[in-house]
């Protein structure tokens, strides 16, 4: 079984500052993928970034980067230069190879302050 | 414009009503999913279809009935629901279910209220 833990129910960040959202995971599968999604209040779940368990380098997508520490089973999301539009719920999720199941954490609500 | 579209975006229904949620994906994917998101609970996988065949039913009550006529369309038929079924229902699609790196793309969701 897989488990995702997001320990920060809510976070505040000043506009233009960087912020790190924490995610730890637990799995016995050797091959898996880690994902981050953003969910604005409208409800849509927007894919942000992906990291494979065998990837040697940390994933980056524009202002998003994933700080992947495999030995510690953590996959923190870093958002640089925060914008007001970044205010939303952020979910960490994982998926094992060969599985349909995408296991989500409980999410972190990020609020960007002007 | 999102690659996965859901209608209606908002639905209010009585416990004796029959309604349906519709999902269409424009991404050429072969797998489609229904997820349920309730307040204070993580997203829950309900159903998975791959090439129109149901490959997973996550112990979902029979009052939820999925239908997948082709790889681009997915329906969720609702009947005799309970107030606790009120939630955001998210449709999603992906290229293939077997590879952990295949990203699952979601629609905007259908907000369901059962009264």
């Amino acid at each position: 079984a897989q488990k995702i833990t997001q320990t920060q129910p809510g976070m505040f960040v000043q506009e233009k500052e960087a912020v790190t959202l924490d995610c730890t995971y637990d799995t016995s599968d050797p091959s898996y993928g880690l994902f981050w999604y953003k969910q604005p209040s409208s409800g849509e779940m927007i894919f942000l970034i992906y990291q494979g368990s065998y990837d040697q380098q940390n994933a980056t997508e524009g202002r998003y980067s994933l700080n992947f520490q495999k030995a510690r089973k953590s996959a923190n999301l870093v958002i640089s230069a925060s914008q007001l539009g970044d205010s939303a719920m952020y979910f960490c999720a994982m998926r094992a190879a060969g599985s349909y199941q995408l296991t989500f954490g409980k999410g972190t609500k990020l609020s960007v302050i002007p | 414009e999102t690659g996965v579209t859901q209608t209606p975006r908002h639905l209010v229904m009585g416990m004796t009503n029959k309604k349906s949620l519709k999902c269409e994906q424009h991404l050429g994917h072969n797998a489609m999913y229904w997820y349920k998101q309730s307040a204070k609970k993580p997203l829950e996988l309900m159903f998975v279809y791959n090439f129109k065949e149901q490959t997973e039913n996550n112990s979902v009550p029979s009052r939820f009935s999925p239908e997948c006529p082709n790889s681009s369309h997915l329906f969720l038929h609702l009947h005799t629901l309970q107030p606790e079924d009120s939630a955001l229902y998210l449709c999603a699609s992906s290229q293939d279910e077997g590879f952990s790196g295949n990203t699952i793309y979601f629609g905007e969701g259908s907000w369901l209220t059962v009264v």
Side-chain angles (χ1 to χ4, degrees), chain A residues 10 22-23 34 43 50 52 66 70 72 75 77 81 84-85 87 108-109 111-113:
Chain A
D22 294 340
C23 172
L34 295 156
Y50 160 78
L66 202 152
K70 191 171 182 177
R72 299 179 64 179
L77 177 70
L84 295 178
S87 295
T108 296
K109 184 175 182 179
S111 298
V112 180
I113 305 167

Side-chain angles (χ1 to χ4, degrees), chain A residues 1-112:
Chain A
Q2 295 138 28
K3 185 178 180 181
I4 296 284
T5 302
Q6 293 180 255
T7 58
Q8 306 152 315
M11 290 278 287
F12 289 90
V13 64
Q14 204 77 35
E15 192 178 6
K16 300 180 185 178
E17 297 292 314
V19 63
T20 298
L21 305 184
D22 294 340
C23 172
T24 58
Y25 61 92
D26 190 21
T27 182
S28 56
D29 294 294
S31 178
Y32 51 88
L34 295 156
F35 303 82
W36 277 93
Y37 289 86
K38 170 186 177 182
Q39 188 178 42
S41 57
S42 60
E44 183 182 5
M45 193 71 72
I46 303 167
F47 165 70
L48 296 178
I49 195 167
Y50 160 78
Q51 178 86 41
S53 59
Y54 292 114
D55 293 344
Q56 296 298 311
Q57 293 189 328
N58 287 343
T60 59
E61 288 286 348
R63 293 187 299 110
Y64 304 107
S65 61
L66 202 152
N67 185 359
F68 181 47
Q69 298 186 50
K70 191 171 182 177
R72 299 179 64 179
K73 293 190 175 180
S74 74
N76 298 339
L77 177 70
V78 181
I79 305 174
S80 62
S82 297
Q83 302 171 356
L84 295 178
D86 293 335
S87 295
M89 285 290 293
Y90 287 81
F91 291 93
C92 180
M94 76 174 296
R95 185 183 189 190
S99 171
Y100 305 99
Q101 183 79 29
L102 186 62
T103 302
F104 283 83
K106 292 186 177 181
T108 296
K109 184 175 182 179
L110 178 66
S111 298
V112 180

